[in-house]
């Protein structure tokens, strides 16, 4: 299966690997936004590509896909995820992340802030 308008190809897999490399750095108990991951991976403005890449993560992968959420502090629900939205929430709660009464995560409290400089314009597009 491929993401919308992103056929399986070697260049695409390389972009996905760049995304996975960034996501692997998010510590337990913290989250990042799709736009933030895109910016750190030098793919600014490509938040949807991050979503497509994470959708393709195998279940037995070491990529902590559950730690990536949208810029509103929410899990991005989709019927295509076949129930993994609920798995994502459970995994995040197991890491100590608390959802508020509106099913949102406080980005102020839980957003990953890497120790290396990044473009702070991320988060606006996803």
């Amino acid at each position: 299966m491929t993401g919308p308008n992103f056929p399986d190809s070697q260049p695409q897999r390389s972009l996905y690997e760049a995304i996975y490399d960034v996501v692997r750095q998010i510590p337990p108990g913290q989250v990042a936004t799709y736009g933030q991951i895109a910016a750190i991976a030098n793919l600014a403005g490509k938040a949807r590509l991050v979503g497509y890449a994470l959708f393709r993560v195998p279940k037995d992968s070491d990529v902590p896909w559950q730690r990536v959420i949208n810029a509103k502090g929410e899990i991005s629900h989709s019927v295509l995820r076949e129930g993994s939205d609920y798995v994502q929430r459970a995994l995040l709660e197991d890491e100590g992340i608390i959802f508020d009464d509106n099913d949102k995560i406080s980005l102020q409290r839980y957003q990953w802030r890497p120790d290396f400089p990044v473009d702070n314009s991320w988060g606006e597009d996803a």
Side-chain angles (χ1 to χ4, degrees):
M1 182 179 0
T2 60
N5 302 318
F6 294 104
D8 265 341
S9 67
Q10 190 57 42
Q12 193 62 44
R13 279 193 284 274
S14 296
L15 289 176
Y16 284 7
E17 283 305 318
I19 291 165
Y20 300 153
D21 288 344
V22 173
V23 173
R24 284 185 186 101
Q25 297 177 59
I26 307 169
Q30 295 183 29
V31 296
T33 66
Y34 294 100
Q36 178 183 0
I37 297 302
I40 294 170
N42 292 318
L43 298 166
K46 303 282 186 192
R48 287 187 184 188
L49 179 62
V50 173
Y52 298 145
L54 295 178
F55 178 76
R56 303 207 58 192
V57 171
K59 290 183 189 327
D60 62 349
S61 173
D62 68 337
V63 177
W65 59 271
Q66 74 275 10
R67 296 182 188 145
V68 183
I69 60 174
N70 69 32
K72 296 177 186 175
E74 300 170 336
I75 291 172
S76 293
H77 294 276
S78 169
V79 294
L80 297 176
R81 292 181 61 188
E82 301 174 347
S84 65
D85 305 330
Y86 304 103
V87 172
Q88 183 176 13
R89 181 181 177 126
L91 290 169
L92 291 171
E93 289 176 333
D94 286 348
E95 292 182 10
I97 293 175
I98 298 169
F99 288 76
D100 69 16
D101 293 340
N102 296 314
D103 295 323
K104 291 187 177 189
I105 296 168
S106 168
L107 291 175
Q108 184 175 27
R109 180 174 179 184
Y110 295 108
Q111 188 168 26
W112 175 48
R113 290 172 175 74
D115 293 333
F116 49 87
V118 295
D119 175 2
N120 286 332
S121 65
W122 40 257
E124 300 299 321
D125 58 344

